[in-house]
Amino acid sequence: MRIGLDVGGTKIAGIARADDGTVLAHVRRATGSGGDAVLTGILDAAGELRAQLADPDLRSIGIGIPGLVDAEAGLVVHAVNLGVESLAIAEHVQRMLGVPCFVENDVKAAALGAAALRDDGAPIAYLNLGTGVAAGIIVDGRIWRGARGTAGEVGHFVVDPNGRLCGCGQRGCIETLCGGGALARAWGGAGELPVKDILDAADAGDDVAIALRDDLFRGAAAAVRALVLSVDVEVIVIGGGLTALTGRLEPGIHAALRADAAQSSFLRSLRLDERIEMLPADSPVAAVGAALLGSVPAKTIALDKEIIVHG
Amino acid sequence: MRIGLDVGGTKIAGIARADDGTVLAHVRRATGSGGDAVLTGILDAAGELRAQLADPDLRSIGIGIPGLVDAEAGLVVHAVNLGVESLAIAEHVQRMLGVPCFVENDVKAAALGAAALRDDGAPIAYLNLGTGVAAGIIVDGRIWRGARGTAGEVGHFVVDPNGRLCGCGQRGCIETLCGGGALARAWGGAGELPVKDILDAADAGDDVAIALRDDLFRGAAAAVRALVLSVDVEVIVIGGGLTALTGRLEPGIHAALRADAAQSSFLRSLRLDERIEMLPADSPVAAVGAALLGSVPAKTIALDKEIIVHG
């Protein structure tokens, strides 16, 4: 049995997973801010999961967490919305629980979970539409990091040189079009769910909201296109906070992809609108992926030298 | 010994390569138009290479050719600038020469050759700046095709919704900024080397030419950025017809990358201007890669199922 925890800014969602894929137990609890609160939350969530189980055989615990993760060292840095500057999670959790602990960026963990849940062998990207926009890429059943860990950072492709300024310093990044944070800033409303407010106002005919809604859909479509024209994954699984609006998001993204295809036989040949899959809101993919971290070594690109040398 | 031929619209460039990487012989000849002329050119070029060699042990012949290639079937379709609609190259060449023949898209073959010549194990992209713009991606020493063969098609990322119309039907593709064909159309001049004419006119102060020169440099920079933010290759090797202008191209691309980095600490952290390498004009990478086709199976993405199942 392996435990996987999705540690977010407001909550921890966790599962205990049998080796055959069966989910044996769930847990959901609030997250505190700061390193100590995060570690306490992780240990408490793991404890709650073990308490639910007869089988005591815990083989590993995996943590998916937003921020810059050094998976080999098992630490996270710049986990801004957790109030964490740097935290050696794996070392601490291993010492406390006596089992191997693996740490991964939450989007990459979710990608691994999404691929495991699909379980059809296809190379996929998990496109996370949340406050920010990023993708995790799974090839050969493993997380694709790339040479320096920036694989899947499609949120920072520039698609409009005259677009809104992005937090990254560029203008017109995909994230400025379809990132929840950027949309909320552009909208300026102070609601609980700014993107929902935007969609509601657009439905009511508000011109600014209609323009932002168009940005959301064409931004997501651009991210899908970018993933197929670079890595060429077979399927793009779309998840993240905005999938709470999936009933309104999915048709909009499909319409945007079809509108692009209508102008371009090249795009039509890619059949992009048949290659996206929306996750239901609160799908536990990140926790599932975190549970798998102990059994799936990440794909760090390395050359099979002899293939060339014996060429 | 393996033969590799780079079959282009105007010429065939070929090499004979020993298993240790030594180039044993070169050939260069004009290409005719149409299927028969292409096949004759291939057989004649192979014959010329063998005639130069004492060692008769030919293990394979590889063909890099522009167009849509079905590598498994060994045929090319839509090789427009060769006057070829569909041609079963491998079958014909194998029958005539009695050795295995492998066919690959020329950009993908060049990528394989560029990786072999670098021989440092890094995952690379070969970015071809020619009439069109496309990249070949090499991971684990193999050609990365992606799920449906569109990996590396960064020329058709849209980077400006108000940009020039692309042959693919979209507006503002990277190829409309830095593809030789698109630049020539935008310039309208009828010179031999339109991009050289544009750079000369820009140096002479022509405003239209200066704008097109800026497009060329920022388009190439956008392609480099896109490859790092998606696949995250370690190095981008830049080749193709435009490298005939490398002395003027390289500083311009570096300047464009540095200008982007100046606005964005995120881009600065990617050190893109340290990750590009320009090939000298007429570098034989495509022929070298073609020679390697017989010894390097292409990377067709497949899931190591058990990794997940035993999760």
Side-chain angles (χ1 to χ4, degrees):
Chain A
M1 180 271 284
R2 300 178 189 274
I3 284 176
L5 301 179
D6 175 16
V7 178
T10 57
K11 64 174 196 324
I12 295 178
I15 62 156
R17 184 179 187 276
D19 291 354
D20 67 2
T22 317
V23 173
L24 306 168
H26 283 91
V27 65
R28 195 177 182 86
R29 63 195 336 280
T31 322
S33 183
D36 293 346
V38 167
L39 290 173
T40 305
I42 288 170
L43 295 174
D44 292 351
E48 285 183 41
L49 287 166
R50 293 177 98 170
Q52 296 178 47
L53 299 171
D55 172 12
D57 166 36
L58 176 61
R59 295 170 59 189
S60 71
I61 177 166
I63 312 291
I65 189 164
L68 206 57
V69 167
D70 178 339
E72 280 184 16
L75 54 85
V76 64
V77 293
H78 305 312
V80 182
N81 56 2
L82 289 168
V84 168
E85 179 44 42
S86 174
L87 189 60
I89 296 176
E91 179 193 358
H92 184 84
V93 171
Q94 262 166 235
R95 194 172 57 242
M96 299 299 288
L97 299 185
V99 294
C101 176
F102 303 87
V103 184
E104 187 50 86
N105 167 272
D106 59 343
V107 171
K108 291 185 172 73
L112 191 61
L117 293 179
R118 297 188 74 257
D119 193 29
D120 70 349
I124 71 153
Y126 167 79
L127 175 61
N128 191 79
L129 300 179
T131 307
V133 176
I137 297 164
I138 304 298
V139 174
D140 294 344
R142 302 179 189 174
I143 295 167
W144 178 276
R145 299 186 181 294
R148 302 190 186 185
T150 61
E153 287 290 350
V154 292
H156 297 292
F157 281 147
V158 170
V159 292
D160 184 352
N162 304 313
R164 287 185 286 272
L165 190 63
C166 181
C168 80
Q170 303 183 94
R171 273 196 182 280
C173 294
I174 283 175
E175 185 167 298
T176 65
L177 293 175
C178 59
L183 285 167
R185 280 191 299 279
W187 178 237
E192 264 286 286
L193 293 165
V195 176
K196 182 178 180 304
D197 297 343
I198 291 168
L199 295 181
D200 292 342
D203 292 345
D206 180 291
D207 291 339
V208 173
I210 289 170
L212 291 175
R213 180 181 61 186
D214 293 346
D215 287 347
L216 167 59
F217 297 150
R218 71 188 175 93
V224 169
R225 221 166 38 229
L227 286 161
V228 167
L229 292 177
S230 55
V231 184
D232 186 25
V233 290
E234 175 64 21
V235 168
I236 296 91
V237 178
I238 300 177
L242 298 195
T243 53
L245 304 161
T246 187
R248 301 159 82 177
L249 197 59
E250 186 167 19
I253 296 173
H254 275 285
L257 289 169
R258 282 192 298 269
D260 295 334
Q263 312 159 4
S264 166
S265 58
F266 171 67
L267 288 184
R268 263 198 303 287
S269 72
L270 303 181
R271 303 180 170 283
L272 295 176
D273 62 327
E274 301 169 12
R275 293 165 73 174
I276 63 172
E277 297 176 3
M278 304 286 293
L279 286 175
D282 293 322
S283 167
V285 282
V288 170
L292 286 167
L293 290 172
S295 55
V296 183
K299 173 80 175 168
T300 45
I301 297 176
L303 183 73
D304 300 345
K305 203 106 182 175
E306 68 284 358
I307 289 177
I308 293 289
V309 174
H310 298 167
Chain B
M1 181 270 285
R2 298 179 189 275
I3 284 176
L5 301 179
D6 174 16
V7 178
T10 58
K11 65 174 197 323
I12 295 178
I15 62 156
R17 185 180 188 275
D19 291 355
D20 66 3
T22 316
V23 173
L24 305 169
H26 283 90
V27 65
R28 196 179 183 84
R29 63 195 335 277
T31 322
S33 184
D36 293 347
V38 168
L39 291 173
T40 304
I42 288 170
L43 295 174
D44 291 352
E48 285 182 41
L49 286 166
R50 295 178 95 170
Q52 296 178 47
L53 299 171
D55 172 12
D57 165 37
L58 176 60
R59 295 169 59 189
S60 70
I61 177 166
I63 313 291
I65 190 164
L68 207 56
V69 168
D70 178 339
E72 280 185 16
L75 54 85
V76 64
V77 294
H78 305 312
V80 182
N81 55 2
L82 289 167
V84 168
E85 179 44 42
S86 174
L87 189 60
I89 297 176
E91 180 193 357
H92 184 85
V93 171
Q94 261 166 237
R95 193 172 58 242
M96 299 300 288
L97 298 184
V99 294
C101 176
F102 302 88
V103 184
E104 186 51 85
N105 167 270
D106 60 342
V107 172
K108 291 185 172 72
L112 191 60
L117 293 179
R118 297 187 75 256
D119 192 30
D120 70 347
I124 70 153
Y126 167 79
L127 174 62
N128 192 79
L129 300 179
T131 307
V133 176
I137 297 164
I138 304 298
V139 174
D140 294 343
R142 302 179 189 172
I143 296 167
W144 177 275
R145 299 187 181 292
R148 301 191 186 186
T150 61
E153 287 290 351
V154 292
H156 297 291
F157 281 148
V158 170
V159 292
D160 184 351
N162 304 312
R164 287 184 286 272
L165 190 63
C166 181
C168 79
Q170 303 183 95
R171 272 197 182 281
C173 295
I174 283 175
E175 186 167 298
T176 65
L177 294 175
C178 60
L183 285 167
R185 280 191 299 279
W187 177 237
E192 263 285 287
L193 293 164
V195 176
K196 181 177 180 305
D197 297 343
I198 291 168
L199 295 181
D200 292 342
D203 292 345
D206 180 291
D207 290 340
V208 174
I210 288 170
L212 292 175
R213 181 180 61 186
D214 292 347
D215 287 348
L216 167 59
F217 297 151
R218 72 188 174 92
V224 169
R225 222 166 38 229
L227 287 162
V228 168
L229 293 178
S230 55
V231 184
D232 186 25
V233 290
E234 174 64 21
V235 169
I236 296 90
V237 177
I238 300 178
L242 298 195
T243 53
L245 304 161
T246 188
R248 301 158 82 176
L249 196 59
E250 186 167 18
I253 296 172
H254 275 286
L257 288 169
R258 282 192 297 269
D260 295 334
Q263 313 159 5
S264 165
S265 58
F266 171 66
L267 288 184
R268 262 197 305 287
S269 72
L270 303 181
R271 302 181 171 283
L272 296 177
D273 62 328
E274 301 169 12
R275 293 165 73 174
I276 63 172
E277 297 176 3
M278 305 287 292
L279 286 176
D282 294 321
S283 167
V285 283
V288 170
L292 286 167
L293 290 173
S295 55
V296 183
K299 173 79 175 170
T300 46
I301 296 175
L303 183 73
D304 299 345
K305 202 105 183 177
E306 67 283 0
I307 289 178
I308 294 289
V309 174
H310 298 167

